[in-house]
Amino acid sequence: MAADELPLDDKAKRMRDLLSSFYSPEPSLAASASAKSASLDAINSTSFDPDLYMNLLVQKSNLEGLLQKHVEMAAEIKNLDTDLQMLVYENYNKFISATDTIKRMKNNIVGMEANMEQLLEKFIYDLPTRLGKCIKSEAYADAVRFYTGAMPIFKAYGESSFQDCKRASEEAIGIIINNLQVKLYSDSEPVAARADAVVLLKQLDFPVDSLKTKLLEKLQHFLSEFQIESREAETILSNPDEPFKAGGFSDSVPSIPPEASTNQVSIGDFSESVRAYRIIFPDSESRLIELAQALFTKRFETIQQRMKKKVSSADLLVMLRGIWTDVTLMDEVLPEAALPTFSLEAARAAIKQFVSSSFSHLLLEVSDALAKVKTKSKEGLEELSLLQVALESGKKAVIQGSMDLLLGFRQLLDDGLELLVKLRDLIIDWVQEGFQDFFSSLDDRFHLLSGSNTSANQDPSSMDGRQADKVLTGLVLVLAQLSIFIEQSAIPRITEEIAASFSGGGMRGYEYGPAFVPGEICRIFRYAGEKFLHLYIHMKTQKISIILKKRFTTPNWIKHKEPREVHMFVDILLQELEAIGTEVNQILPRGLVRKHRRSDSAGSTASIRSNPIREDKMARTNTQRARSQLLESHLAKLFKQKMEIFTKVEHTQESVVSTIVKLCLKSLQEFVRLQTFNRSGFQQIQVDIQFLRNPLKENVDDEAAIDFLLDEVIVAAAERCLDPIALEPAILDKLIQAKLAKRKEQKPSH
C-alpha cells in the first residue's frame, strides 16, 4: 500500500504538467516546466531522447532494476489513458451547458429589438419639446440629462433619421448654455447655483477654462475698483475739511462719497467672489492667493504713500483696524493665503515707516521754527525781535513735539488690536531708536544752519568770511542756547517718559547695545552748545576786527594831526557791542555778576590821568626814558596782580559780552603793534581808549581785565610811538566831555 501511495503524488504532478503543457499559451512555459521535471524523470521532458535514456538506464541499473522499471512504466501508461479520458468527459459537459444557456437567451430577447426602436424613436422626437419646457422652468439639470442621454443616438443617426430633431435640440442646448453662463457671471446668484452651472457646462463639453479666465479678469477688475476707491478715500482723509456722505466702503478708511465712484465695492463683496470662485474652480487656489495678497499689499502701500504727509496715530489706528478686520474676513474664506502672517509683515514695515516719518516731520518742524529768523530777516523785519521768538518756538517744537509723539506712540501700544500687540516690543525699540536718530539728525541740522560741520576738531575760527556772511549770527546764538535747553531740559523729560511708558523692547539684540542712550545725546548737545557759543563769539569778533583793521591801516600815523575829538570808529565799535548786547540779552540769562575791580594800590589803570606816577613818566621829554618807564610800570602790574584774562565762556550775558570785548581789545592791541605813531597819533589812541573805559565795563563781569587790556593797548602804542608824550589831563577831560555831550544829544534821535 505504501508503494502504491507514493506513485499517486507523482501521478498528480505529472497530470498537472501534462495539462499545463497542453493548455499553455507559450511553449516556453511548458518547456520550462518540463525542464524543471527533467531532473526527476527525463521521460516527461519535451526533449526526451529514447536512445540516450536507455543507454543511461542500462548503465546505471541491473536486471532486477530494469524489470522493476518496466512494471512502473506500464502502470503509468495505463493511468495516463484513464486521466485523459476523464478530462475529455468533463470538458464536454461544460460545452453542453454553455450551448443550452445561449439557446435560452436567444429565445428570451426575441421581439426586444423592435420594442427598443419604437421607444427610442418616441423619446428622440419628443426631446426638443422636453428641452423647451426645461428652459422655461430653468430645470437645466434635467435638460442636460435628457440631452446627454440622447447623444449616442444623435451620433449614430443624427445625420439621417433624426436630423431635424438633432438641430432643434442643439438650438435649445445653445440657449441653455447661454443661460448657464449668465448664471455663472451673476453676483446675485448663490454660490451653489453658480457651481452647478459650471458642472452642467462641463457635462455639455463646454470649454470652462475660458470661463475661468473671464471670472478671473472680473476679480482683477473688482480689485482695481477697490484700490481706486481706497485711494479716493485716502485723499478725502488727507482733506478732512471736505464733507462727504457714507458709502459702501470698508472700515479700513472713511466712507467715500457716492459720486466718487459709480460702483460701490467692499471687502465683503470681494471675499464672496473669492469664495464662489474657489468652489467653482477648486484648482485655482494659487491664483486666488496671489490676488488676495496683492489686495492687501496695495492697502498697505496706500498707507505708506499717505505717510509722506503727516499722519496722526489716530488715523493710523483707524486704517490698521480696518485692514485687520478685512484680513480676518478674508482668512475665513482663503486660509491658505496666510493673510494674517502676510499682513503682519506688511504692517511691520508700515508702522516702522510711521515712526520714522513722525520723527522726520518733527525734525522739519524744529528746522522751520529756526528758519523763520532767516526768512523774516530777508523780508526786512527786525531780526533782534525774532531771536527770542525763534528760541521759544524751537524749544516748544522740541519738547512739545516730542511729548506729542510719545503720546501718539503710546496710543499704538495701549490699543488692543492683535496686530499691534504682536508688534509691541518692536514698536518700543523703534521709538527709542527714533529718538536717538532724531537728536543725532537734529545736531546735524543745527550745524548746517550755523554754517559749520559736525567735526569735533573744527575750530570756529576756520569759518571764512564768506561763509559767515551767509549765516545770521543771532541764529547761531539761538542754536547755542537751544542746544543747552535740549541737554538740560528736553532729554531728561523724554527719558522719564520713555522709562515710564516705553520700557521693554529688546528685539534689536544685545550686541547692538541700548536703543536710546540719553547720556550720549546730552554729551553731543553740550558740546554743540559750547561750539555754537564760541562760533557766535568768533563771528562777532571777526566783524569788529574788520572795523578795527580798517581804522588802523587807513591813516598815516606818522603824520597824524593833534587829536581834536574822539574818533568816530569808537562810535561804530560801541554800536556793534550794543547790538551784541541786545542779542545776548534776548537769548542768554543773566549770570551772577561778580565784577572784579582793582584798587589803586594794586596798580589801578582805570584812568591814565589818575595815576601821578604815569603822568610824570609820560610828561618827561626823554623819549627813551619815558618808554622805559612805561614798560617797567607794565611789568610791575603783571607781577603785582596775577590776572586770568580769558576764562571759560559761560552761557550768560556777561560772560559772552566780556569775552567778545576782551578779544576785540586783543585785536586792537595787535593792530596797534603793527603801526608806528608820532606824538599826535599816540595821543589820539590815548583819547579813544580813555573814552572806551566806562562804556566797555557796563556789561562785563571782569572790569579789571578790561582795564588791563586797555592799558595793554596804551603800552603797545607807546612802544610803537616815536615821541610817547601823553595829553595833559585837562585837555583829555575836555575832549571826553565833549564826546559825551555829543552822544547825549544824538541819543534821543535814535
Side-chain angles (χ1 to χ4, degrees):
M1 293 295 292
D4 293 335
E5 292 176 358
L6 289 174
L8 289 177
D9 294 336
D10 293 337
K11 183 180 75 171
K13 189 174 183 181
R14 286 195 299 273
M15 179 62 71
R16 287 194 302 270
D17 293 340
L18 180 62
L19 294 173
S20 176
S21 65
F22 181 79
Y23 288 103
S24 175
E26 297 181 5
S28 60
L29 297 176
S32 63
S34 300
K36 293 179 181 178
S37 62
S39 61
L40 300 176
D41 192 355
I43 197 171
N44 295 324
S45 174
T46 56
S47 60
F48 175 69
D49 188 352
D51 295 334
L52 179 61
Y53 180 79
M54 286 303 299
N55 291 334
L56 291 174
L57 185 61
V58 171
Q59 292 177 3
K60 293 182 180 181
S61 304
N62 52 19
L63 180 59
E64 184 178 358
L66 291 173
L67 292 173
Q68 181 66 30
K69 191 65 175 177
H70 170 72
V71 174
E72 291 177 355
M73 292 183 66
E76 289 179 358
I77 291 171
K78 185 177 181 179
N79 290 334
L80 286 173
D81 292 339
T82 304
D83 293 340
L84 183 59
Q85 187 178 7
M86 293 178 63
L87 181 62
V88 172
Y89 286 158
E90 290 178 359
N91 288 334
Y92 180 75
N93 290 332
K94 292 180 180 179
F95 291 151
I96 295 298
S97 176
T99 302
D100 294 340
T101 302
I102 292 173
K103 289 181 178 180
R104 288 194 299 270
M105 289 179 63
K106 186 175 182 180
N107 293 331
N108 291 335
I109 64 174
V110 173
M112 182 179 293
E113 183 175 356
N115 294 332
M116 286 295 295
E117 291 179 356
Q118 294 178 1
L119 179 61
L120 289 174
E121 183 176 344
K122 182 178 180 181
F123 173 78
I124 292 300
Y125 283 123
D126 190 46
L127 181 59
T129 304
R130 289 175 177 267
L131 294 178
K133 292 179 180 179
C134 291
I135 292 173
K136 290 180 179 180
S137 62
E138 296 186 357
Y140 301 121
D142 293 337
V144 172
R145 179 166 54 84
F146 295 152
Y147 182 75
T148 54
M151 283 300 296
I153 299 174
F154 285 149
K155 289 181 180 179
Y157 307 105
E159 302 301 328
S160 58
S161 303
F162 305 108
Q163 185 175 4
D164 295 337
C165 181
K166 178 184 178 183
R167 185 182 303 109
S169 299
E170 288 177 347
E171 291 176 357
I173 287 298
I175 296 174
I176 292 174
I177 289 176
N178 290 333
N179 293 346
L180 290 175
Q181 291 185 71
V182 171
K183 185 182 289 290
L184 176 62
Y185 293 138
S186 176
D187 295 332
S188 61
E189 289 290 335
V191 176
R194 298 167 72 182
D196 291 340
V198 173
V199 173
L200 295 176
L201 289 171
K202 287 182 179 179
Q203 293 177 4
L204 294 173
D205 295 331
F206 188 84
V208 295
D209 288 340
S210 61
L211 298 178
K212 180 191 297 187
T213 303
K214 291 181 180 179
L215 276 178
L216 185 60
E217 291 175 353
K218 184 176 181 180
L219 277 178
Q220 291 174 333
H221 179 69
F222 187 96
L223 181 61
S224 300
E225 286 186 349
F226 188 84
Q227 292 168 1
I228 290 172
E229 293 192 0
S230 177
R231 287 193 294 268
E232 290 174 347
E234 293 296 338
T235 302
I236 293 173
L237 256 182
S238 62
N239 298 282
D241 296 334
E242 296 182 7
F244 59 91
K245 300 178 181 179
F249 200 65
S250 66
D251 293 334
S252 60
V253 290
S255 300
I256 62 175
E259 62 272 16
S261 176
T262 58
N263 297 319
Q264 296 294 331
V265 295
S266 70
I267 194 67
D269 298 333
F270 183 77
S271 64
E272 286 301 320
S273 298
V274 171
R275 186 195 303 273
Y277 193 93
R278 188 177 183 188
I279 295 174
I280 297 169
F281 303 107
D283 57 342
S284 59
E285 179 181 292
S286 60
R287 185 58 182 142
L288 292 176
I289 291 175
E290 292 178 4
L291 285 175
Q293 292 181 348
L295 168 64
F296 288 100
T297 298
K298 292 295 183 182
R299 295 282 295 279
F300 281 104
E301 286 178 356
T302 301
I303 294 178
Q304 292 176 325
Q305 189 71 18
R306 193 186 165 211
M307 287 180 189
K308 293 181 179 179
K309 297 182 179 180
K310 189 173 182 180
V311 178
S312 67
S313 298
D315 290 341
L316 180 63
L317 282 173
V318 170
M319 292 185 284
L320 290 178
R321 288 194 194 100
I323 288 180
W324 191 249
T325 300
D326 296 345
V327 166
T328 304
L329 179 61
M330 284 297 300
D331 189 52
E332 296 176 357
V333 177
L334 193 63
E336 292 80 5
L339 291 178
T341 302
F342 179 83
S343 298
L344 182 65
E345 291 300 317
R348 173 177 176 173
I351 296 175
K352 185 174 183 180
Q353 181 182 344
F354 169 74
V355 174
S356 177
S357 63
S358 297
F359 283 108
S360 298
H361 287 298
L362 178 58
L363 180 63
L364 186 61
E365 290 174 2
V366 177
S367 301
D368 289 343
L370 298 175
K372 290 179 180 178
V373 176
K374 288 186 175 181
T375 304
K376 297 298 182 181
S377 178
K378 291 180 180 179
E379 293 176 357
L381 300 179
E382 183 64 31
E383 175 188 348
L384 301 181
S385 63
L386 295 172
L387 296 182
Q388 189 171 8
V389 175
L391 177 61
E392 295 304 321
S393 299
K395 289 180 178 180
K396 183 178 180 180
V398 171
I399 193 67
Q400 190 60 47
S402 298
M403 292 300 105
D404 291 342
L405 282 187
L406 288 172
L407 179 61
F409 295 149
R410 191 162 62 244
Q411 289 179 354
L412 298 181
L413 296 182
D414 294 341
D415 196 276
L417 186 63
E418 181 182 357
L419 193 68
L420 296 173
V421 172
K422 293 180 179 179
L423 297 175
R424 176 182 175 83
D425 289 339
L426 282 174
I427 293 175
I428 291 175
D429 283 343
W430 293 336
V431 170
Q432 294 186 8
E433 291 174 3
F435 271 109
Q436 190 76 19
D437 295 339
F438 164 72
F439 282 111
S440 178
S441 300
L442 187 61
D443 177 60
D444 294 339
R445 188 63 59 90
F446 281 6
H447 282 82
L448 180 64
L449 291 173
S450 69
S452 62
N453 59 41
T454 56
S455 174
N457 298 322
Q458 187 195 28
D459 186 355
S461 61
S462 63
M463 177 184 288
D464 58 28
R466 290 176 300 175
Q467 189 177 7
D469 291 340
K470 298 179 181 179
V471 180
L472 294 176
T473 54
L475 177 59
V476 176
L477 187 61
V478 170
L479 294 175
Q481 192 60 19
L482 186 55
S483 298
I484 297 302
F485 170 79
I486 292 174
E487 176 210 354
Q488 298 179 355
S489 301
I491 298 301
R493 185 173 176 184
I494 293 172
T495 303
E496 291 178 2
E497 187 65 25
I498 289 178
S501 303
F502 294 87
S503 59
M507 299 296 291
R508 57 185 266 122
Y510 293 102
E511 65 273 15
Y512 298 104
F516 180 62
V517 187
E520 179 182 352
I521 299 175
C522 289
R523 179 188 60 80
I524 290 174
F525 281 93
R526 185 186 310 116
Y527 169 76
E530 294 176 356
K531 182 176 180 179
F532 293 143
L533 191 63
H534 283 89
L535 178 60
Y536 174 79
I537 293 173
H538 165 72
M539 295 170 71
K540 289 298 185 181
T541 304
Q542 189 179 46
K543 183 178 181 181
I544 295 176
S545 295
I546 294 174
I547 299 173
L548 297 177
K549 181 179 180 180
K550 185 176 181 180
R551 161 65 180 134
F552 283 93
T553 56
T554 300
N556 186 348
W557 293 98
I558 297 296
K559 300 180 180 180
H560 201 280
K561 298 180 180 180
E562 292 184 1
R564 297 181 179 275
E565 61 179 356
V566 178
H567 194 271
M568 61 177 298
F569 101 91
V570 173
D571 295 327
I572 299 175
L573 176 61
L574 292 179
Q575 288 176 4
E576 290 294 330
L577 293 176
E578 183 179 357
I580 293 172
T582 303
E583 288 183 349
V584 169
N585 292 343
Q586 286 190 74
I587 303 302
L588 298 179
R590 294 187 62 85
L592 298 176
V593 181
R594 297 177 180 176
K595 294 191 175 183
H596 301 283
R597 292 186 173 86
R598 292 181 296 175
S599 62
D600 291 341
S601 60
S604 174
T605 58
S607 174
I608 292 179
R609 62 183 177 84
S610 64
N611 192 332
I613 299 177
R614 180 171 296 276
E615 292 176 8
D616 180 64
K617 291 180 180 179
M618 298 294 292
R620 294 181 182 181
T621 58
N622 191 324
T623 303
Q624 296 298 329
R625 186 174 182 182
R627 183 179 294 111
S628 175
Q629 292 294 333
L630 285 172
L631 292 174
E632 290 176 3
S633 174
H634 184 60
L635 290 173
K637 288 187 294 180
L638 293 177
F639 283 105
K640 287 181 180 180
Q641 180 177 0
K642 296 180 180 179
M643 182 179 301
E644 187 177 3
I645 303 299
F646 293 98
T647 58
K648 181 180 179 180
V649 183
E650 303 292 340
H651 285 260
T652 61
Q653 300 173 10
E654 295 80 10
S655 178
V656 171
V657 173
S658 296
T659 303
I660 294 175
V661 171
K662 292 175 184 178
L663 290 173
C664 290
L665 292 179
K666 289 296 292 183
S667 297
L668 179 59
Q669 179 185 357
E670 295 301 321
F671 288 129
V672 168
R673 287 177 176 173
L674 296 177
Q675 305 299 325
T676 301
F677 302 93
N678 62 4
R679 178 189 299 181
S680 298
F682 171 70
Q683 292 175 351
Q684 183 67 58
I685 298 298
Q686 179 187 1
V687 172
D688 296 340
I689 295 302
Q690 184 61 30
F691 181 81
L692 286 173
R693 287 187 183 273
N694 289 331
L696 292 183
K697 292 187 291 185
E698 289 180 357
N699 296 313
V700 299
D701 58 359
D702 191 352
E703 295 181 0
I706 301 302
D707 277 333
F708 179 82
L709 291 172
L710 290 171
D711 288 347
E712 287 274 283
V713 175
I714 297 297
V715 171
E719 291 175 351
R720 299 295 300 170
C721 181
L722 300 176
D723 186 15
I725 303 300
L727 280 174
E728 294 293 332
I731 299 175
L732 185 61
D733 282 338
K734 181 179 179 181
L735 294 175
I736 291 176
Q737 292 300 324
K739 183 64 176 178
L740 290 174
K742 185 177 180 180
R743 284 176 60 85
K744 188 175 181 180
E745 293 176 357
Q746 295 175 347
K747 193 171 183 180
S749 63
H750 294 289

